[in-house]
Amino acid sequence: MGWWSLFPDPHLSVSLPLSLLLSSLALILALGIAAFFLEYVRKIGCRHSLERTADSDSFFEDPNSLKKVPCPSICDPAEKYISLIIPAFNEEHRLPGALIETMNYLQQRSTVEKSFSYEVLIVDDGSTDRTSKVAFDFVRKYKIDNVRVILLGRNHGKGEAIRKGMLHSRGELLLMLDADGATKVTDLEKLETQIHALAKMNKELNSSAATPNGLSLKLSDIEVAAFGSRAHLEKQALATRKWYRNFLMKGFHLVVLLTAGPGIRDTQCGFKMFTRAAARKLFTNIRLKRWCFDVELVYLCKHLGIPMVEVSVTWSEIPGSKVRLTSIIHMLFELILIRLGYGLGIWKIHT
């Protein structure tokens, strides 16, 4: 044994504590991230519980009579055949064209079909431009029985704007559509046809089902959802988008598949229709307020047993999109929340 063996290797004495320190820091960081996600998920659950029991907006503003019109609830019986819910955030330029096209279609159809009644709900999600003025101009023109405006005060996100509109609608059928008019409003007939077909099938499978009064189920009582889809345009989109956007979108679709499962290829199309009963279950349960509420809707439909159908729609790119590359990161964050919230049982599904 040489004299040098009496002294420890200085490199060994440093490397062991350093590796231990790095491992400890990595563990602390991982636990910190996990704790952050769990606390965030818990807070969303608590906030949702409060929103379910809190009083919501009580009145609509009528700019013509200056009177307040009582705000209906999704729990009330349907008063219209269809409600169209349009979320709007800083849409003063794109909203007028979409609303003109929408109102022209609805008026023409109501003239031909006497039983066809409608309402349009514009939900201003805290806009800082003249969106609310544009919306109220249409209320003045078409009257508050046909066009209504909900003002959220501050920006909450597209998911929350649609949730508010759904919960205050009067239709047997409820359609959400974007303020830019990217999907032709006439395509609602495609979704409507599929809704009726699914509802009829549901009735036949449950022919003995009846209301407490002994009457057969109405369309509004049957739970069905129809999702507009741009999946048939995927090849064209891949050819025109930059490679990194395609890479990010492919990655996002993979995570969506792992989160919500197969069945709906295009979860993000803003053109979706629900029966009143389906909307009542879905939008009293939904938690996410921004980008990935669409994915949560698919997840909830599966876990609540609500039949879904995907329907190809006409779609065109409209300048002024608010989706940025950073939005993808936020979407991935929300997908993690879905997995944690429902997977760990922190978010309870109310039936």
Side-chain angles (χ1 to χ4, degrees), residues 318-336:
I318 305 295
S321 171
K322 295 177 176 63
V323 179
R324 304 288 181 265
L325 290 179
T326 52
S327 304
I328 303 292
I329 299 172
H330 195 107
M331 289 177 185
L332 293 174
F333 175 74
E334 290 191 337
L335 290 175
I336 294 172

Side-chain angles (χ1 to χ4, degrees), residues 38-249:
L38 290 173
E39 178 61 16
Y40 196 86
V41 169
R42 187 192 66 80
K43 284 185 177 179
I44 291 176
C46 291
R47 184 178 62 204
H48 177 260
S49 297
L50 291 172
E51 287 173 348
R52 280 178 61 89
T53 56
D55 290 331
S56 51
D57 304 307
S58 300
F59 301 96
F60 288 110
E61 298 279 349
D62 184 354
N64 290 317
S65 67
L66 301 181
K67 293 180 180 179
K68 292 183 180 295
V69 177
C71 203
S73 166
I74 191 71
C75 297
D76 298 334
E79 298 177 19
K80 299 277 188 178
Y81 173 68
I82 191 168
S83 297
L84 283 71
I85 294 90
I86 304 176
F89 175 64
N90 291 345
E91 294 286 2
E92 66 170 307
H93 299 297
R94 301 195 298 178
L95 184 61
L99 281 177
I100 289 170
E101 180 184 338
T102 298
M103 296 308 299
N104 285 342
Y105 165 77
L106 294 172
Q107 286 191 314
Q108 288 171 12
R109 185 166 169 183
S110 63
T111 301
V112 175
E113 302 174 33
K114 299 304 179 184
S115 62
F116 182 83
S117 57
Y118 65 88
E119 67 172 349
V120 176
L121 275 79
I122 306 156
V123 187
D124 185 346
D125 187 23
S127 298
T128 55
D129 63 357
R130 299 169 67 252
T131 296
S132 62
K133 182 184 182 304
V134 170
F136 277 116
D137 284 344
F138 278 83
V139 180
R140 290 185 183 93
K141 182 175 181 180
Y142 294 100
K143 311 306 177 189
I144 198 165
D145 187 51
N146 295 320
V147 182
R148 297 180 167 190
V149 179
I150 297 176
L151 302 174
L152 296 190
R154 64 180 180 84
N155 180 252
H156 292 269
K158 181 181 176 181
E160 176 64 5
I162 289 173
R163 187 184 77 89
K164 283 283 190 182
M166 290 283 176
L167 295 182
H168 297 315
S169 297
R170 296 176 289 167
E172 292 183 62
L173 297 177
L174 290 81
L175 174 75
M176 52 176 268
L177 65 164
D178 292 335
D180 59 4
T183 304
K184 290 293 182 184
V185 68
T186 52
D187 276 7
L188 73 82
E189 294 178 18
K190 297 180 181 179
L191 276 65
E192 182 185 2
T193 300
Q194 292 299 318
I195 288 273
H196 279 278
L198 277 175
K200 182 179 179 182
M201 191 183 305
N202 185 291
K203 268 188 177 181
E204 290 172 353
L205 290 173
N206 303 279
S207 56
S208 60
T211 63
N213 297 325
L215 301 174
S216 61
L217 290 173
K218 297 181 292 185
L219 176 64
S220 59
D221 298 322
I222 301 171
E223 297 168 3
V224 182
F227 290 7
S229 175
R230 304 158 297 180
H232 60 293
L233 304 172
E234 184 177 8
K235 287 184 179 179
Q236 178 185 342
L238 288 172
T240 55
R241 279 200 304 251
K242 295 185 183 297
W243 69 268
Y244 58 85
R245 289 181 68 90
N246 289 331
F247 177 78
L248 288 172
M249 289 309 298

